[in-house]
Coordinates of all heavy atoms in Angstrom, one line a residue:
Chain A
G306 N 27.3 -3.8 -35.9 CA 27.1 -5.1 -35.2 C 26.4 -5.1 -33.9 O 26.5 -6.1 -33.1
I307 N 25.8 -4.0 -33.6 CA 25.1 -4.0 -32.3 C 23.6 -4.1 -32.4 O 22.8 -4.0 -31.4 CB 25.5 -2.8 -31.4 CG1 25.2 -1.5 -32.1 CG2 26.9 -2.9 -31.0 CD1 25.5 -0.3 -31.2
R308 N 23.1 -4.2 -33.6 CA 21.7 -4.5 -33.8 C 21.6 -5.5 -35.0 O 22.2 -5.3 -36.0 CB 20.9 -3.2 -34.2 CG 19.5 -3.4 -34.4 CD 18.8 -2.1 -34.9 NE 18.7 -1.1 -33.9 CZ 17.6 -1.0 -33.1 NH1 16.6 -1.9 -33.2 NH2 17.5 -0.1 -32.2
R309 N 20.8 -6.5 -34.8 CA 20.7 -7.6 -35.8 C 19.8 -7.2 -36.9 O 18.7 -6.7 -36.7 CB 20.2 -8.9 -35.1 CG 20.6 -10.1 -36.0 CD 20.0 -11.4 -35.4 NE 20.7 -11.7 -34.1 CZ 20.6 -12.9 -33.6 NH1 19.8 -13.8 -34.1 NH2 21.2 -13.2 -32.5
A310 N 20.3 -7.4 -38.1 CA 19.5 -7.1 -39.3 C 18.6 -8.3 -39.7 O 18.9 -9.4 -39.2 CB 20.4 -6.7 -40.5
V311 N 17.5 -8.1 -40.4 CA 16.7 -9.2 -40.8 C 17.2 -9.8 -42.1 O 17.2 -11.0 -42.2 CB 15.2 -8.6 -41.1 CG1 14.3 -9.8 -41.5 CG2 14.7 -7.9 -39.9
S312 N 17.7 -9.0 -43.0 CA 18.3 -9.5 -44.2 C 19.2 -8.5 -44.8 O 19.2 -7.4 -44.4 CB 17.1 -9.9 -45.2 OG 16.5 -8.7 -45.5
G313 N 20.0 -9.0 -45.7 CA 20.9 -8.1 -46.4 C 22.3 -8.6 -46.2 O 22.6 -9.5 -45.5
R314 N 23.3 -7.9 -46.8 CA 24.7 -8.3 -46.8 C 25.5 -7.1 -46.6 O 25.3 -6.0 -47.3 CB 25.0 -9.0 -48.1 CG 26.3 -9.6 -48.2 CD 26.5 -10.4 -49.5 NE 27.9 -10.7 -49.6 CZ 28.5 -11.7 -49.0 NH1 27.8 -12.5 -48.2 NH2 29.8 -11.9 -49.1
V315 N 26.5 -7.1 -45.7 CA 27.4 -6.0 -45.5 C 28.8 -6.6 -45.6 O 29.1 -7.6 -45.0 CB 27.2 -5.4 -44.1 CG1 28.2 -4.2 -43.9 CG2 25.8 -4.8 -44.0
E316 N 29.7 -5.9 -46.4 CA 31.1 -6.3 -46.5 C 32.0 -5.2 -46.0 O 31.8 -4.0 -46.4 CB 31.4 -6.7 -47.9 CG 30.9 -8.0 -48.3 CD 31.2 -8.3 -49.8 OE1 31.9 -7.6 -50.4 OE2 30.7 -9.3 -50.3
L317 N 32.9 -5.6 -45.2 CA 34.0 -4.6 -44.7 C 35.3 -5.1 -45.3 O 35.7 -6.2 -45.1 CB 34.0 -4.7 -43.2 CG 35.1 -3.9 -42.5 CD1 35.0 -2.4 -42.7 CD2 35.1 -4.2 -41.0
N318 N 35.9 -4.2 -46.1 CA 37.2 -4.6 -46.7 C 37.0 -5.9 -47.6 O 37.9 -6.7 -47.5 CB 38.3 -4.7 -45.7 CG 38.9 -3.4 -45.3 OD1 38.9 -2.5 -46.1 ND2 39.3 -3.3 -44.1
G319 N 35.9 -6.0 -48.2 CA 35.7 -7.2 -49.0 C 35.3 -8.5 -48.3 O 35.0 -9.5 -49.0
R320 N 35.3 -8.4 -47.0 CA 34.8 -9.6 -46.3 C 33.5 -9.4 -45.6 O 33.3 -8.3 -45.0 CB 35.9 -10.0 -45.2 CG 36.9 -11.1 -45.7 CD 37.9 -11.3 -44.6 NE 37.4 -11.7 -43.4 CZ 37.9 -11.5 -42.2 NH1 39.0 -10.8 -42.1 NH2 37.4 -11.9 -41.1
A321 N 32.7 -10.4 -45.6 CA 31.3 -10.2 -45.1 C 31.3 -10.0 -43.6 O 32.1 -10.5 -42.9 CB 30.5 -11.4 -45.4
I322 N 30.3 -9.2 -43.2 CA 30.0 -9.1 -41.7 C 28.7 -9.8 -41.5 O 27.8 -9.6 -42.3 CB 29.8 -7.6 -41.3 CG1 31.0 -6.7 -41.6 CG2 29.4 -7.5 -39.9 CD1 30.8 -5.3 -41.3
D323 N 28.7 -10.6 -40.5 CA 27.5 -11.4 -40.3 C 26.4 -10.6 -39.6 O 26.0 -10.8 -38.5 CB 27.9 -12.6 -39.4 CG 26.7 -13.6 -39.2 OD1 25.8 -13.5 -40.0 OD2 26.9 -14.4 -38.3
V324 N 25.8 -9.6 -40.4 CA 24.9 -8.7 -39.8 C 23.6 -9.3 -39.4 O 22.8 -8.8 -38.5 CB 24.6 -7.5 -40.7 CG1 25.7 -6.5 -40.7 CG2 24.2 -7.9 -42.1
T325 N 23.2 -10.4 -40.0 CA 21.9 -11.1 -39.7 C 22.1 -12.1 -38.6 O 21.1 -12.7 -38.1 CB 21.3 -11.7 -40.9 OG1 22.3 -12.6 -41.5 CG2 20.9 -10.7 -42.0
G326 N 23.4 -12.4 -38.3 CA 23.6 -13.4 -37.2 C 24.3 -12.8 -36.0 O 23.8 -11.8 -35.5
H327 N 25.5 -13.3 -35.7 CA 26.2 -12.9 -34.6 C 27.4 -12.0 -34.9 O 28.5 -12.5 -34.7 CB 26.6 -14.1 -33.7 CG 25.4 -14.8 -33.1 ND1 24.8 -14.3 -32.0 CD2 24.8 -15.9 -33.5 CE1 23.8 -15.1 -31.7 NE2 23.7 -16.1 -32.7
A328 N 27.2 -10.9 -35.5 CA 28.3 -10.0 -35.7 C 28.9 -9.6 -34.4 O 28.2 -9.4 -33.4 CB 27.8 -8.7 -36.4
D329 N 30.2 -9.6 -34.3 CA 30.9 -9.3 -33.1 C 31.6 -8.0 -33.1 O 32.6 -7.8 -33.8 CB 31.9 -10.4 -32.8 CG 32.8 -10.2 -31.6 OD1 32.5 -9.2 -30.9 OD2 33.7 -11.0 -31.3
P330 N 31.1 -7.0 -32.4 CA 31.7 -5.6 -32.5 C 33.2 -5.6 -32.2 O 33.9 -4.8 -32.8 CB 30.9 -4.8 -31.4 CG 29.6 -5.6 -31.2 CD 29.9 -7.0 -31.5
A331 N 33.6 -6.5 -31.3 CA 35.0 -6.5 -30.9 C 35.9 -6.9 -32.2 O 36.9 -6.3 -32.5 CB 35.3 -7.5 -29.8
E332 N 35.3 -7.9 -32.9 CA 36.1 -8.4 -34.0 C 36.1 -7.3 -35.1 O 37.1 -7.1 -35.8 CB 35.4 -9.7 -34.5 CG 36.1 -10.4 -35.6 CD 35.2 -11.2 -36.5 OE1 34.3 -11.8 -36.0 OE2 35.4 -11.2 -37.8
L333 N 34.9 -6.7 -35.3 CA 34.8 -5.6 -36.3 C 35.9 -4.5 -36.0 O 36.4 -4.0 -37.0 CB 33.4 -5.0 -36.4 CG 32.4 -6.0 -36.9 CD1 31.0 -5.3 -36.9 CD2 32.7 -6.5 -38.3
R334 N 36.0 -4.2 -34.8 CA 37.0 -3.2 -34.4 C 38.4 -3.6 -34.9 O 39.2 -2.8 -35.5 CB 37.1 -2.9 -32.9 CG 36.0 -2.0 -32.5 CD 36.3 -1.5 -31.1 NE 35.1 -0.7 -30.7 CZ 34.0 -1.2 -30.2 NH1 33.9 -2.5 -29.9 NH2 33.0 -0.4 -30.0
Q335 N 38.7 -4.9 -34.7 CA 40.0 -5.4 -35.1 C 40.2 -5.3 -36.6 O 41.2 -5.2 -37.1 CB 40.2 -6.8 -34.6 CG 40.8 -6.9 -33.2 CD 40.8 -8.2 -32.7 OE1 40.6 -9.2 -33.4 NE2 41.0 -8.3 -31.4
R336 N 39.0 -5.5 -37.3 CA 39.1 -5.5 -38.7 C 39.1 -4.0 -39.3 O 39.0 -3.8 -40.5 CB 37.9 -6.3 -39.3 CG 38.2 -7.8 -39.2 CD 36.9 -8.6 -39.5 NE 36.4 -8.3 -40.8 CZ 35.2 -8.8 -41.3 NH1 34.5 -9.6 -40.5 NH2 34.8 -8.4 -42.5
G337 N 39.1 -3.1 -38.4 CA 39.3 -1.7 -38.9 C 38.0 -0.9 -39.0 O 38.0 0.1 -39.7
L338 N 37.0 -1.3 -38.2 CA 35.8 -0.5 -38.2 C 35.7 0.3 -36.9 O 35.8 -0.3 -35.8 CB 34.6 -1.4 -38.4 CG 33.2 -0.7 -38.4 CD1 32.9 -0.1 -39.8 CD2 32.1 -1.6 -38.0
A339 N 35.5 1.6 -36.9 CA 35.3 2.3 -35.7 C 34.0 2.9 -35.7 O 33.5 3.3 -36.8 CB 36.4 3.4 -35.5
H340 N 33.4 3.1 -34.6 CA 32.0 3.5 -34.5 C 31.8 4.5 -33.4 O 32.1 4.3 -32.2 CB 31.1 2.3 -34.2 CG 29.7 2.6 -34.0 ND1 28.8 1.8 -33.3 CD2 28.9 3.6 -34.4 CE1 27.6 2.3 -33.2 NE2 27.6 3.4 -33.9
V341 N 31.4 5.7 -33.8 CA 31.0 6.7 -32.8 C 29.5 6.7 -32.7 O 28.8 7.2 -33.6 CB 31.5 8.1 -33.2 CG1 31.0 9.2 -32.2 CG2 33.0 8.2 -33.4
P342 N 28.9 6.2 -31.6 CA 27.5 6.0 -31.6 C 26.8 7.3 -31.3 O 27.4 8.3 -30.8 CB 27.3 5.0 -30.4 CG 28.5 5.3 -29.5 CD 29.6 5.7 -30.4
E343 N 25.5 7.4 -31.7 CA 24.7 8.6 -31.5 C 24.5 8.9 -30.1 O 24.5 10.1 -29.7 CB 23.4 8.4 -32.2 CG 23.4 8.4 -33.7 CD 22.0 8.3 -34.3 OE1 21.2 7.5 -33.8 OE2 21.8 9.1 -35.2
D344 N 24.3 7.9 -29.3 CA 23.9 8.1 -27.9 C 25.1 7.8 -27.0 O 25.4 6.7 -26.6 CB 22.8 7.1 -27.5 CG 22.3 7.3 -26.1 OD1 23.0 8.0 -25.3 OD2 21.3 6.7 -25.7
R345 N 25.9 8.9 -26.8 CA 27.1 8.7 -26.1 C 26.9 8.3 -24.6 O 27.6 7.6 -24.0 CB 28.0 10.0 -26.1 CG 27.3 11.2 -25.6 CD 28.3 12.4 -25.5 NE 27.6 13.5 -25.0 CZ 27.2 14.5 -25.8 NH1 27.5 14.5 -27.1 NH2 26.5 15.6 -25.4
H346 N 25.8 8.8 -24.0 CA 25.5 8.6 -22.6 C 25.3 7.1 -22.3 O 25.7 6.6 -21.3 CB 24.4 9.4 -22.1 CG 24.9 10.8 -21.7 ND1 24.0 11.8 -21.3 CD2 26.1 11.2 -21.5 CE1 24.7 12.8 -21.0 NE2 26.0 12.5 -21.1
H347 N 24.5 6.5 -23.1 CA 24.2 5.1 -22.8 C 25.0 4.0 -23.5 O 25.1 2.9 -23.1 CB 22.7 4.8 -23.0 CG 21.8 5.7 -22.2 ND1 21.1 6.8 -22.7 CD2 21.6 5.7 -20.8 CE1 20.5 7.4 -21.7 NE2 20.8 6.8 -20.6
V348 N 25.4 4.4 -24.7 CA 26.1 3.4 -25.5 C 27.6 3.6 -25.6 O 28.4 2.7 -25.4 CB 25.5 3.5 -27.0 CG1 26.2 2.4 -27.8 CG2 24.0 3.2 -26.9
G349 N 28.0 4.9 -25.8 CA 29.4 5.1 -26.1 C 30.3 5.3 -24.9 O 31.5 5.2 -25.0
L350 N 29.7 5.4 -23.7 CA 30.4 5.7 -22.5 C 29.8 5.0 -21.3 O 28.6 4.7 -21.3 CB 30.5 7.2 -22.2 CG 31.2 8.1 -23.1 CD1 30.9 9.6 -22.8 CD2 32.7 7.9 -23.0
V351 N 30.6 4.7 -20.3 CA 30.1 4.2 -19.1 C 30.3 5.4 -18.1 O 31.4 5.7 -17.7 CB 30.8 3.0 -18.5 CG1 30.2 2.6 -17.2 CG2 30.7 1.9 -19.5
L352 N 29.2 6.1 -17.8 CA 29.4 7.4 -17.1 C 30.0 7.3 -15.8 O 30.6 8.2 -15.3 CB 28.0 8.1 -17.0 CG 27.5 8.6 -18.3 CD1 26.1 9.3 -18.1 CD2 28.4 9.7 -19.0
K353 N 29.9 6.1 -15.2 CA 30.5 5.9 -13.8 C 31.9 5.6 -13.8 O 32.6 5.5 -12.8 CB 29.7 4.9 -13.1 CG 28.3 5.3 -12.8 CD 27.7 4.7 -11.5 CE 26.5 5.4 -11.1 NZ 25.5 4.5 -10.6
F354 N 32.5 5.3 -15.0 CA 33.9 5.0 -15.1 C 34.7 6.3 -15.0 O 34.2 7.3 -15.4 CB 34.2 4.3 -16.4 CG 34.0 2.8 -16.4 CD1 33.5 2.2 -15.3 CD2 34.3 2.1 -17.5 CE1 33.2 0.8 -15.3 CE2 34.0 0.7 -17.6 CZ 33.5 0.1 -16.5
E355 N 36.0 6.1 -14.6 CA 36.8 7.3 -14.8 C 37.2 7.4 -16.2 O 37.1 6.5 -17.0 CB 38.0 7.2 -13.8 CG 39.0 6.0 -14.0 CD 40.1 6.1 -13.0 OE1 39.9 6.2 -11.8 OE2 41.3 6.1 -13.4
E356 N 37.7 8.6 -16.6 CA 37.9 8.9 -18.0 C 38.8 7.9 -18.7 O 38.5 7.4 -19.8 CB 38.5 10.3 -18.1 CG 38.4 10.9 -19.5 CD 39.5 10.5 -20.4 OE1 40.6 10.0 -19.9 OE2 39.4 10.7 -21.6
S357 N 39.9 7.5 -18.0 CA 40.8 6.6 -18.7 C 40.2 5.2 -19.0 O 40.5 4.6 -20.0 CB 42.1 6.4 -17.8 OG 41.7 5.7 -16.6
E358 N 39.2 4.8 -18.2 CA 38.6 3.5 -18.4 C 37.7 3.6 -19.7 O 37.6 2.7 -20.4 CB 37.7 3.1 -17.2 CG 38.6 2.8 -16.0 CD 37.8 2.4 -14.8 OE1 37.0 3.2 -14.3 OE2 37.9 1.2 -14.3
N359 N 37.1 4.8 -19.9 CA 36.3 4.9 -21.1 C 37.2 5.1 -22.3 O 36.7 4.8 -23.4 CB 35.4 6.1 -20.9 CG 34.0 5.8 -20.3 OD1 33.4 4.8 -20.7 ND2 33.6 6.5 -19.3
A360 N 38.4 5.6 -22.1 CA 39.2 5.8 -23.3 C 39.7 4.4 -23.9 O 40.3 4.4 -25.0 CB 40.5 6.6 -22.9
I361 N 39.4 3.3 -23.2 CA 39.8 2.0 -23.8 C 38.5 1.1 -24.1 O 38.7 0.0 -24.5 CB 40.7 1.2 -22.9 CG1 40.1 0.9 -21.5 CG2 42.0 2.0 -22.7 CD1 40.9 -0.1 -20.7
L362 N 37.3 1.7 -23.8 CA 36.1 0.9 -24.0 C 36.1 0.3 -25.4 O 36.1 1.0 -26.4 CB 34.9 1.7 -23.7 CG 33.6 1.0 -23.7 CD1 33.4 0.0 -22.5 CD2 32.4 1.9 -23.8
G363 N 36.0 -1.0 -25.5 CA 35.9 -1.7 -26.8 C 37.3 -2.1 -27.3 O 37.5 -3.0 -28.1
Y364 N 38.3 -1.4 -26.8 CA 39.7 -1.7 -27.2 C 40.5 -2.3 -26.0 O 41.7 -2.4 -26.0 CB 40.5 -0.5 -27.7 CG 39.8 0.1 -28.9 CD1 38.9 1.2 -28.8 CD2 40.0 -0.5 -30.2 CE1 38.2 1.7 -29.9 CE2 39.3 0.1 -31.3 CZ 38.5 1.1 -31.1 OH 37.8 1.7 -32.2
H365 N 39.7 -2.7 -24.9 CA 40.3 -3.1 -23.7 C 41.0 -4.4 -23.8 O 41.7 -4.8 -22.9 CB 39.2 -3.1 -22.6 CG 38.1 -4.0 -22.9 ND1 37.0 -3.5 -23.7 CD2 37.8 -5.3 -22.7 CE1 36.2 -4.5 -23.9 NE2 36.6 -5.6 -23.3
D366 N 40.8 -5.1 -24.9 CA 41.5 -6.4 -25.1 C 42.9 -6.2 -25.6 O 43.7 -7.2 -25.7 CB 40.7 -7.2 -26.1 CG 40.8 -8.7 -25.8 OD1 41.4 -9.0 -24.7 OD2 40.3 -9.5 -26.6
D367 N 43.2 -5.0 -26.0 CA 44.5 -4.8 -26.6 C 45.7 -5.1 -25.6 O 45.7 -4.6 -24.5 CB 44.6 -3.3 -27.0 CG 45.8 -2.9 -27.8 OD1 46.9 -3.6 -27.6 OD2 45.7 -2.1 -28.7
P368 N 46.6 -6.0 -26.1 CA 47.7 -6.4 -25.2 C 48.5 -5.2 -24.6 O 49.1 -5.4 -23.5 CB 48.6 -7.3 -26.0 CG 47.8 -7.5 -27.3 CD 46.7 -6.6 -27.4
K369 N 48.5 -4.1 -25.2 CA 49.3 -3.0 -24.7 C 48.7 -2.4 -23.4 O 49.4 -1.6 -22.7 CB 49.6 -1.9 -25.8 CG 48.5 -0.9 -25.9 CD 48.9 0.2 -26.9 CE 47.8 1.2 -27.1 NZ 47.9 1.9 -28.4
Y370 N 47.5 -2.8 -23.1 CA 46.9 -2.3 -21.9 C 47.0 -3.3 -20.8 O 46.4 -3.2 -19.7 CB 45.4 -1.9 -22.1 CG 45.2 -0.8 -23.1 CD1 44.2 -1.0 -24.1 CD2 45.9 0.3 -23.0 CE1 44.0 0.0 -25.0 CE2 45.7 1.3 -24.0 CZ 44.7 1.2 -24.9 OH 44.5 2.2 -25.8
R371 N 47.7 -4.4 -21.0 CA 47.8 -5.5 -20.1 C 49.2 -5.9 -19.8 O 50.1 -5.8 -20.7 CB 47.0 -6.7 -20.6 CG 45.6 -6.7 -20.1 CD 44.9 -8.0 -20.5 NE 44.7 -8.0 -22.0 CZ 44.8 -9.1 -22.7 NH1 45.3 -10.2 -22.2 NH2 44.6 -9.1 -24.0
K372 N 49.5 -6.4 -18.6 CA 50.7 -7.1 -18.3 C 50.2 -8.5 -17.9 O 49.8 -8.7 -16.7 CB 51.5 -6.4 -17.2 CG 52.3 -5.2 -17.6 CD 53.2 -4.8 -16.4 CE 53.9 -3.5 -16.7 NZ 53.9 -2.6 -15.6
G373 N 50.3 -9.4 -18.7 CA 49.8 -10.7 -18.4 C 48.3 -10.6 -18.2 O 47.5 -10.1 -19.0
F374 N 47.8 -11.1 -17.0 CA 46.4 -11.1 -16.7 C 46.0 -9.7 -16.2 O 44.8 -9.4 -16.2 CB 46.1 -12.1 -15.6 CG 45.6 -13.4 -16.1 CD1 46.2 -14.6 -15.8 CD2 44.4 -13.4 -16.9 CE1 45.7 -15.8 -16.3 CE2 43.9 -14.6 -17.4 CZ 44.6 -15.8 -17.1
I375 N 46.9 -8.9 -15.7 CA 46.6 -7.7 -15.0 C 46.5 -6.5 -15.9 O 47.4 -6.3 -16.7 CB 47.6 -7.5 -13.9 CG1 47.6 -8.7 -13.0 CG2 47.3 -6.3 -13.0 CD1 46.4 -9.1 -12.3
L376 N 45.5 -5.7 -15.7 CA 45.4 -4.5 -16.5 C 46.6 -3.5 -16.1 O 46.9 -3.4 -14.9 CB 44.1 -3.7 -16.3 CG 42.8 -4.4 -16.8 CD1 41.6 -3.5 -16.4 CD2 42.9 -4.5 -18.3
D377 N 47.2 -3.0 -17.1 CA 48.3 -2.1 -16.9 C 47.8 -0.6 -16.7 O 47.7 0.1 -17.7 CB 49.3 -2.1 -18.0 CG 50.6 -1.3 -17.7 OD1 50.6 -0.6 -16.8 OD2 51.5 -1.5 -18.5
V378 N 47.4 -0.3 -15.5 CA 46.7 1.0 -15.2 C 47.6 2.2 -15.7 O 47.1 3.1 -16.2 CB 46.3 1.1 -13.8 CG1 45.7 2.4 -13.5 CG2 45.4 -0.1 -13.4
D379 N 48.9 2.0 -15.5 CA 49.7 3.2 -15.9 C 49.7 3.4 -17.4 O 49.6 4.5 -17.8 CB 51.2 2.9 -15.4 CG 51.3 3.0 -13.9 OD1 50.5 3.6 -13.3 OD2 52.2 2.3 -13.4
A380 N 49.8 2.3 -18.1 CA 49.7 2.4 -19.6 C 48.4 3.0 -20.0 O 48.3 3.8 -20.9 CB 50.0 1.1 -20.2
I381 N 47.3 2.5 -19.4 CA 46.0 3.0 -19.7 C 45.9 4.5 -19.5 O 45.4 5.3 -20.3 CB 44.9 2.2 -19.0 CG1 44.9 0.8 -19.4 CG2 43.5 2.9 -19.1 CD1 44.0 -0.1 -18.6

Side-chain angles (χ1 to χ4, degrees):
Chain A
I307 57 176
R308 182 187 283 274
R309 198 183 290 192
V311 182
S312 62
R314 188 175 166 80
V315 178
E316 280 176 11
L317 173 65
N318 279 327
R320 263 176 61 208
I322 300 177
D323 188 12
V324 283
T325 54
H327 294 278
D329 175 4
E332 187 207 323
L333 293 180
R334 279 196 182 84
Q335 272 171 15
R336 284 169 56 186
L338 180 83
H340 174 205
V341 176
E343 291 184 312
D344 183 347
R345 60 173 175 254
H346 272 170
H347 298 107
V348 181
L350 294 168
V351 179
L352 290 177
K353 293 209 165 140
F354 275 3
E355 60 180 53
E356 196 274 347
S357 67
E358 291 179 297
N359 271 312
I361 61 168
L362 186 70
Y364 302 97
H365 54 276
D366 210 8
D367 190 324
K369 83 173 176 204
Y370 300 133
R371 269 186 287 141
K372 279 190 188 137
F374 262 123
I375 304 299
L376 290 179
D377 185 349
V378 176
D379 291 334
I381 293 172

